[in-house]
Amino acid sequence: DSGVTQTPKHLITATGQRVTLRCSPRSGDLSVYWYQQSLDQGLQFLIQYYNGEERAKGNILERFSAQQFPDLHSELNLSSLELGDSALYFCASSAREGDSTDTQYFGPGTRLTVL
Amino acid sequence: QQQVKQSPQSLIVQKGGISIINCAYENTAFDYFPWYQQFPGKGPALLIAIRPDVSEKKEGRFTISFNKSAKQFSLHIMDSQPGDSATYFCAASKAAGSYQLTFGKGTKLSVIP
Protein backbone atom coordinates (compact mmCIF):
# COMPACT_ATOMS: atom_id res chain seq x y z
CA ASP A 1 0.00 0.00 0.00
CA SER A 2 1.56 3.28 -1.19
CA GLY A 3 -0.45 5.48 1.16
CA VAL A 4 -2.03 7.32 -1.78
CA THR A 5 -5.78 6.85 -2.06
CA GLN A 6 -7.97 7.40 -5.09
CA THR A 7 -11.72 7.35 -5.44
CA PRO A 8 -13.73 6.02 -7.08
CA LYS A 9 -12.03 2.79 -8.16
CA HIS A 10 -14.26 2.43 -11.19
CA LEU A 11 -16.39 4.95 -13.04
CA ILE A 12 -18.72 4.26 -15.94
CA THR A 13 -20.35 7.17 -17.67
CA ALA A 14 -21.67 8.34 -21.03
CA THR A 15 -20.18 10.56 -23.69
CA GLY A 16 -20.66 14.25 -23.04
CA GLN A 17 -20.79 13.83 -19.27
CA ARG A 18 -18.52 15.30 -16.60
CA VAL A 19 -16.76 13.37 -13.83
CA THR A 20 -14.50 14.17 -10.89
CA LEU A 21 -11.67 11.92 -9.75
CA ARG A 22 -10.30 12.37 -6.26
CA CYS A 23 -6.82 11.77 -4.87
CA SER A 24 -5.48 11.96 -1.32
CA PRO A 25 -1.68 12.06 -1.19
CA ARG A 26 0.49 10.33 1.39
CA SER A 27 0.52 12.07 4.71
CA GLY A 28 2.91 15.01 4.53
CA ASP A 29 3.41 14.93 0.76
CA LEU A 30 2.93 18.32 -0.84
CA SER A 31 3.20 17.41 -4.51
CA VAL A 32 0.52 15.64 -6.54
CA TYR A 33 0.90 14.41 -10.10
CA TRP A 34 -1.85 13.09 -12.38
CA TYR A 35 -1.11 10.50 -15.08
CA GLN A 36 -3.30 8.82 -17.68
CA GLN A 37 -2.64 5.22 -18.69
CA SER A 38 -4.12 3.91 -21.93
CA LEU A 39 -3.23 0.94 -24.09
CA ASP A 40 -2.08 3.00 -27.05
CA GLN A 41 -0.41 5.96 -25.29
CA GLY A 42 0.98 4.24 -22.22
CA LEU A 43 1.50 6.29 -19.04
CA GLN A 44 1.38 10.00 -19.74
CA PHE A 45 1.80 12.93 -17.41
CA LEU A 46 -1.16 15.28 -17.24
CA ILE A 47 -0.57 17.90 -14.55
CA GLN A 48 1.28 18.58 -11.29
CA TYR A 49 0.33 20.59 -8.21
CA TYR A 50 2.55 21.58 -5.34
CA ASN A 51 1.05 22.88 -2.11
CA GLY A 52 -2.04 24.13 -3.88
CA GLU A 53 -0.34 25.71 -6.88
CA GLU A 54 -0.14 24.37 -10.41
CA ARG A 55 3.48 23.52 -11.22
CA ALA A 56 3.48 21.88 -14.64
CA LYS A 57 1.20 20.78 -17.41
CA GLY A 58 1.73 17.88 -19.75
CA ASN A 59 -0.55 16.40 -22.37
CA ILE A 60 -3.72 17.54 -20.66
CA LEU A 61 -6.73 18.36 -22.80
CA GLU A 62 -8.53 21.68 -22.36
CA ARG A 63 -11.63 19.68 -21.33
CA PHE A 64 -9.66 18.47 -18.30
CA SER A 65 -8.80 20.52 -15.25
CA ALA A 66 -7.47 19.89 -11.78
CA GLN A 67 -6.97 21.57 -8.46
CA GLN A 68 -5.32 20.92 -5.13
CA PHE A 69 -7.13 21.95 -1.99
CA PRO A 70 -5.75 23.36 1.30
CA ASP A 71 -5.88 19.89 2.86
CA LEU A 72 -3.66 18.78 -0.08
CA HIS A 73 -6.13 16.41 -1.67
CA SER A 74 -6.53 16.88 -5.39
CA GLU A 75 -9.35 16.49 -7.89
CA LEU A 76 -9.17 15.90 -11.61
CA ASN A 77 -12.21 17.09 -13.51
CA LEU A 78 -12.97 15.61 -16.92
CA SER A 79 -15.75 17.18 -18.96
CA SER A 80 -17.45 16.65 -22.34
CA LEU A 81 -16.22 13.11 -22.15
CA GLU A 82 -15.38 11.19 -25.31
CA LEU A 83 -14.93 7.48 -25.91
CA GLY A 84 -11.19 8.05 -26.17
CA ASP A 85 -11.03 9.34 -22.60
CA SER A 86 -11.57 5.80 -21.33
CA ALA A 87 -8.38 4.99 -19.44
CA LEU A 88 -6.82 4.43 -16.06
CA TYR A 89 -6.10 7.65 -14.22
CA PHE A 90 -3.39 7.60 -11.57
CA CYS A 91 -2.31 10.17 -9.12
CA ALA A 92 1.10 10.10 -7.50
CA SER A 93 2.49 12.09 -4.63
CA SER A 94 5.94 13.07 -3.53
CA ALA A 95 7.23 14.82 -0.49
CA ARG A 96 9.36 17.63 -1.63
CA GLU A 97 9.98 20.09 -4.40
CA GLY A 98 13.40 20.72 -5.84
CA ASP A 99 14.60 17.12 -5.94
CA SER A 100 14.28 15.08 -9.10
CA THR A 101 15.11 11.90 -7.17
CA ASP A 102 12.13 12.30 -4.85
CA THR A 103 10.12 9.10 -5.23
CA GLN A 104 6.64 9.39 -6.66
CA TYR A 105 4.20 7.05 -4.94
CA PHE A 106 1.27 6.00 -7.08
CA GLY A 107 -2.28 5.39 -6.01
CA PRO A 108 -4.32 2.38 -7.17
CA GLY A 109 -5.95 4.36 -9.97
CA THR A 110 -9.45 5.11 -11.19
CA ARG A 111 -10.65 3.16 -14.19
CA LEU A 112 -12.86 5.39 -16.33
CA THR A 113 -15.09 3.85 -18.95
CA VAL A 114 -16.96 6.16 -21.30
CA LEU A 115 -19.82 4.50 -23.18
CA GLN B 1 7.52 12.09 -30.06
CA GLN B 2 8.38 9.25 -27.74
CA GLN B 3 11.14 10.49 -25.46
CA VAL B 4 11.86 7.16 -23.77
CA LYS B 5 11.88 4.04 -25.92
CA GLN B 6 11.51 0.69 -24.20
CA SER B 7 12.02 -2.84 -25.51
CA PRO B 8 10.90 -5.54 -25.71
CA GLN B 9 7.13 -5.13 -25.42
CA SER B 10 6.84 -8.56 -23.89
CA LEU B 11 9.26 -11.08 -22.46
CA ILE B 12 8.94 -14.70 -21.41
CA VAL B 13 11.66 -16.08 -19.15
CA GLN B 14 12.12 -19.40 -17.43
CA LYS B 15 12.21 -19.44 -13.65
CA GLY B 16 15.79 -18.87 -12.52
CA GLY B 17 16.74 -17.09 -15.73
CA ILE B 18 17.81 -13.49 -16.33
CA SER B 19 15.27 -10.94 -17.56
CA ILE B 20 16.68 -7.96 -19.44
CA ILE B 21 14.68 -4.87 -20.41
CA ASN B 22 16.23 -2.00 -22.33
CA CYS B 23 15.45 1.69 -22.57
CA ALA B 24 16.87 4.56 -24.59
CA TYR B 25 16.33 8.29 -24.26
CA GLU B 26 17.05 11.38 -26.34
CA ASN B 27 16.73 14.29 -23.95
CA THR B 28 20.05 15.01 -22.23
CA ALA B 29 18.20 17.09 -19.63
CA PHE B 30 17.01 13.86 -18.01
CA ASP B 31 18.99 13.13 -14.88
CA TYR B 32 17.00 10.56 -12.94
CA PHE B 33 15.98 7.16 -14.26
CA PRO B 34 13.60 5.06 -12.16
CA TRP B 35 12.08 1.70 -12.98
CA TYR B 36 8.53 1.00 -11.91
CA GLN B 37 6.81 -2.37 -11.51
CA GLN B 38 3.07 -2.68 -12.04
CA PHE B 39 0.86 -5.64 -11.20
CA PRO B 40 -2.62 -5.97 -12.74
CA GLY B 41 -5.14 -3.74 -10.99
CA LYS B 42 -2.44 -1.84 -9.10
CA GLY B 43 -0.59 1.41 -9.51
CA PRO B 44 3.07 1.46 -10.55
CA ALA B 45 5.54 1.05 -7.69
CA LEU B 46 9.16 2.18 -7.65
CA LEU B 47 11.54 -0.75 -8.02
CA ILE B 48 14.98 0.80 -8.38
CA ALA B 49 16.42 4.05 -9.72
CA ILE B 50 19.73 5.50 -10.90
CA ARG B 51 21.41 8.84 -11.55
CA PRO B 52 23.74 9.30 -14.57
CA ASP B 53 26.82 9.71 -12.38
CA VAL B 54 26.97 5.95 -11.77
CA SER B 55 27.09 3.17 -14.35
CA GLU B 56 25.43 0.46 -12.30
CA LYS B 57 23.20 0.07 -9.28
CA LYS B 58 22.22 -3.19 -7.67
CA GLU B 59 19.46 -3.91 -5.19
CA GLY B 60 18.98 -7.58 -4.44
CA ARG B 61 18.16 -9.40 -7.67
CA PHE B 62 17.57 -6.15 -9.56
CA THR B 63 20.37 -4.24 -11.33
CA ILE B 64 20.28 -1.11 -13.47
CA SER B 65 23.07 -0.64 -15.99
CA PHE B 66 23.50 2.89 -17.32
CA ASN B 67 25.42 4.01 -20.41
CA LYS B 68 25.45 7.81 -20.47
CA SER B 69 27.27 8.19 -23.80
CA ALA B 70 24.82 5.89 -25.55
CA LYS B 71 21.85 7.33 -23.66
CA GLN B 72 20.70 3.86 -22.76
CA PHE B 73 19.85 2.06 -19.56
CA SER B 74 18.63 -1.41 -18.77
CA LEU B 75 17.07 -3.45 -16.01
CA HIS B 76 18.40 -6.91 -15.24
CA ILE B 77 16.40 -9.27 -13.04
CA MET B 78 18.56 -12.13 -11.87
CA ASP B 79 17.11 -15.51 -10.81
CA SER B 80 13.69 -14.46 -12.17
CA GLN B 81 10.73 -15.81 -10.21
CA PRO B 82 7.05 -16.28 -11.14
CA GLY B 83 6.26 -13.53 -8.62
CA ASP B 84 8.25 -11.13 -10.82
CA SER B 85 5.62 -11.50 -13.55
CA ALA B 86 4.37 -7.93 -14.01
CA THR B 87 4.68 -4.97 -16.36
CA TYR B 88 7.88 -2.97 -16.00
CA PHE B 89 8.22 0.66 -17.00
CA CYS B 90 11.38 2.65 -17.36
CA ALA B 91 11.04 6.37 -16.80
CA ALA B 92 13.05 9.57 -16.74
CA SER B 93 12.76 12.96 -15.16
CA LYS B 94 14.63 16.21 -15.52
CA ALA B 95 17.02 17.91 -13.16
CA ALA B 96 15.03 21.10 -12.92
CA GLY B 97 11.55 22.42 -13.31
CA SER B 98 8.79 19.90 -12.90
CA TYR B 99 9.87 16.38 -11.98
CA GLN B 100 7.15 14.71 -13.98
CA LEU B 101 8.03 11.25 -15.14
CA THR B 102 8.31 10.41 -18.83
CA PHE B 103 7.59 6.70 -19.18
CA GLY B 104 8.52 4.05 -21.69
CA LYS B 105 5.66 2.00 -23.11
CA GLY B 106 6.23 -0.90 -20.73
CA THR B 107 7.39 -4.51 -20.91
CA LYS B 108 5.11 -7.33 -19.86
CA LEU B 109 7.27 -9.96 -18.19
CA SER B 110 6.05 -13.51 -17.73
CA VAL B 111 8.22 -15.88 -15.71
CA ILE B 112 7.23 -19.48 -16.31
CA PRO B 113 8.01 -22.29 -13.85
Side-chain angles (χ1 to χ4, degrees), chain B residues 3 5 16 25 29-30 33 35 40 54 75 96 103-104:
Chain B
Q3 294 198 53
K5 293 185 179 179
Y25 64 97
F30 289 143
F33 302 88
W35 285 88
V54 298
L75 175 70
F103 284 92

Side-chain angles (χ1 to χ4, degrees), chain A residues 5-13 18-24 34 74-76 78 87-91 107-113:
Chain A
T5 60
Q6 288 187 249
T7 56
K9 195 173 175 69
H10 301 281
L11 200 48
I12 302 174
T13 188
R18 173 189 168 96
V19 296
T20 297
L21 282 52
R22 182 187 170 104
C23 168
S24 293
W34 284 97
S74 178
E75 292 180 356
L76 179 67
L78 315 177
L88 268 168
Y89 291 84
F90 289 104
C91 81
T110 293
R111 181 174 293 280
L112 174 66
T113 303

